[in-house]
Amino acid sequence: MTVDLGMPANPEPVLAERRKTRQLQVGPVGVGSDHPISVQTMTTTNTTDINGTLQQIAELTASGCDIVRVACPSADDAEALPIIAQKSQIPVIADIHFQPKYVFAAIRAGCAGVRVNPGNIRKFDDQVKEISKAAKDTGTPIRIGVNAGSLDPRMMEKYGKAVPEALAESALWEAGLFAEHDFHDVKISVKHNDPVVMVRAYEILAERCDYPLHLGVTEAGPAFQGTVKSAVAFGALLRQGIGDTIRVSLSAPPVEEIKVGTQILQSLNLRPRKLEIVSCPSCGRAQVDVYKLADEVTAGLEGMEVPLRVAVMGCVVNGPGEAREADLGVASGNGKGQIFVKGEVIKTVPESQIVETLIEEAGRLAEGMEQDSGDSPTVTVS
Ligand code: SF4
């Protein structure tokens, strides 16, 4: 069974056609060019804390996460996998470093996929035959996850450091071993903390293979820096149609990673847009505190699931134009706000009532959209 991630076909224009890849299934989620680009993250709980991990997975599911990865550094973690895999609402991938025996444990546990890091699993190449057999018997896909920080020593010797060619060659070598054993349900990642190196490594992979690619800038940094690095790197690749599933790595809670990943895809029309706030940067002409207004409107509309474009503008220079273009908008000035709905001024309210009026009108528009589409998106207006 294939899950469409709840996303209707997106009619909006995109920058590039997806690169054609093989297809694979991570549980019910299809990964590859025939499927929407999925967003994933990793739990931060101890995997042995089954309830805590399931609780975090539930929160991630609610925030739009499609696939979740859990660490499996010990036998106790491996023991926790069957129940986590069984009870999670979204497919669970076990993340394996160092110990090949946990690859088999994860497959037996019913995980929807396994990530291996060939650079730090001792004698990994000798185990590929057995892993291929176990994975094939259960229909479990394998991600070959090469990381700059744990690159195969042979590549380090050959290239001196984790240059793009080294990352790509390491991953392709391992994928080649799996192919020799007639196992092809492989996706690949080649992560580096430098977006320039990372982008080039993925470009090389895209030229040389048709495996689905999992994009990630590893150790991208705290939220601000990591968001910028991931957005520019993913943008450069998605612009070429490269990328089938993404993980934004931030030194921040995993829910934030999902929000950023989802927003990157929405910005490029690779996922239908939901709420979009168009707000001006403010300037010397502003007649209202635009930052505060934009923050309050954003907070008030948080959780809105319908594709609504809301313009929050600080004065009458660009205000009416942008507000008219949006589904809903305000152009502020002289202590008042002109409220626009679908291009028409419907009322003018005092500045103190702008936020509540926008929230009220957004609720009305969302209700209309729900009725038109026949489905029942959730609107939370606080
Ligand atoms: S809309 Fe007005 S306040 Fe906002 S940036 Fe433009 S000119 Fe400045």
Side-chain angles (χ1 to χ4, degrees):
M1 182 187 69
T2 302
V3 162
D4 68 0
L5 306 180
M7 291 179 275
N10 192 7
E12 299 300 325
V14 291
L15 291 170
E17 254 186 61
R18 295 272 298 282
R19 156 187 168 265
K20 290 275 168 266
T21 70
R22 292 169 173 277
Q23 316 302 320
L24 55 82
Q25 289 295 133
V26 177
V29 176
V31 176
S33 52
D34 291 354
H35 304 280
I37 299 171
S38 47
V39 178
Q40 49 178 293
T41 185
M42 206 168 163
T43 51
T44 52
T45 49
N46 283 330
T47 306
T48 48
D49 174 7
I50 294 175
N51 286 340
T53 302
L54 284 169
Q55 174 61 34
Q56 192 173 56
I57 292 176
E59 286 161 17
L60 291 168
T61 307
S63 73
C65 181
D66 301 311
I67 297 170
V68 68
R69 190 153 44 104
V70 300
C72 183
S74 74
D76 289 345
D77 297 299
E79 263 176 41
L81 289 178
I83 190 150
I84 292 172
Q86 193 200 344
K87 292 205 167 167
S88 167
Q89 304 93 323
I90 50 177
V92 172
I93 294 182
D95 191 66
I96 312 292
H97 294 259
F98 303 113
Q99 296 267 22
K101 64 184 177 193
Y102 299 143
V103 175
F104 299 101
I107 291 173
R108 279 196 305 274
C111 289
V114 177
R115 179 270 170 117
V116 295
N117 181 348
N120 65 20
I121 294 182
R122 210 165 64 84
K123 297 200 172 153
F124 181 79
D125 292 1
D126 300 344
Q127 328 245 2
V128 169
K129 183 178 176 190
E130 288 305 308
I131 294 174
S132 297
K133 182 173 181 326
K136 200 186 236 181
D137 288 349
T138 48
T140 312
I142 302 279
R143 168 156 70 95
I144 298 172
V146 170
N147 259 28
S150 50
L151 187 61
D152 189 317
R154 291 168 296 187
M155 296 297 152
M156 285 304 276
E157 207 172 299
K158 179 170 172 188
Y159 290 97
K161 61 179 186 171
V163 293
E165 291 76 11
L167 294 166
E169 189 177 322
S170 176
L172 289 169
W173 165 263
E174 303 301 342
L177 290 184
F178 278 100
E180 272 176 30
H181 296 288
D182 198 26
F183 185 80
H184 308 279
D185 275 353
V186 163
K187 59 191 165 94
I188 296 181
S189 63
V190 280
K191 299 190 183 180
H192 196 288
N193 63 37
D194 181 337
V196 175
V197 178
M198 174 272 193
V199 167
R200 189 61 203 127
Y202 278 97
E203 286 173 341
I204 294 171
L205 277 182
E207 284 160 16
R208 297 196 197 153
C209 74
D210 63 356
Y211 292 110
L213 299 181
H214 161 125
L215 303 187
V217 177
T218 192
E219 291 106 30
F224 173 72
Q225 181 186 292
T227 298
V228 173
K229 275 188 174 185
S230 300
V232 294
F234 293 4
L237 289 164
L238 294 167
R239 172 70 182 95
Q240 304 174 65
I242 299 171
D244 304 290
T245 181
I246 62 171
R247 192 260 169 117
V248 173
S249 300
L250 302 177
S251 303
V255 165
E256 297 304 312
E257 298 186 348
I258 296 302
K259 282 191 201 162
V260 173
T262 304
Q263 194 61 48
I264 290 172
L265 295 181
Q266 284 186 22
S267 302
L268 294 172
N269 283 339
L270 293 166
R271 207 169 248 228
R273 293 184 187 185
K274 292 186 179 170
L275 176 68
E276 191 182 355
I277 305 286
V278 178
S279 57
C280 83
S282 188
C283 73
R285 279 180 289 261
Q287 294 177 352
V288 71
D289 184 342
V290 179
Y291 302 164
K292 184 162 167 270
L293 195 57
D295 280 349
E296 287 175 358
V297 172
T298 305
L301 298 180
E302 196 185 345
M304 185 165 266
E305 292 285 319
V306 291
L308 198 68
R309 186 174 236 252
V310 181
V312 178
M313 306 296 288
C315 79
V316 291
V317 174
N318 291 323
E322 288 286 0
R324 206 168 268 127
E325 287 293 307
D327 297 303
L328 172 64
V330 60
S332 314
N334 290 330
K336 295 185 206 125
Q338 268 188 320
I339 306 293
F340 290 73
V341 171
K342 302 281 182 193
E344 303 290 335
V345 179
I346 57 150
K347 60 175 101 165
T348 300
V349 298
E351 195 178 305
S352 59
Q353 289 172 24
I354 291 175
V355 175
E356 62 181 83
T357 309
L358 286 177
I359 292 172
E360 209 177 278
E361 292 301 329
R364 233 191 291 281
L365 284 168
E367 230 169 80
M369 287 178 184
E370 285 171 40
Q371 278 160 7
D372 288 351
S373 69
D375 53 28
S376 53
T378 324
V379 179
T380 312
V381 176
S382 53

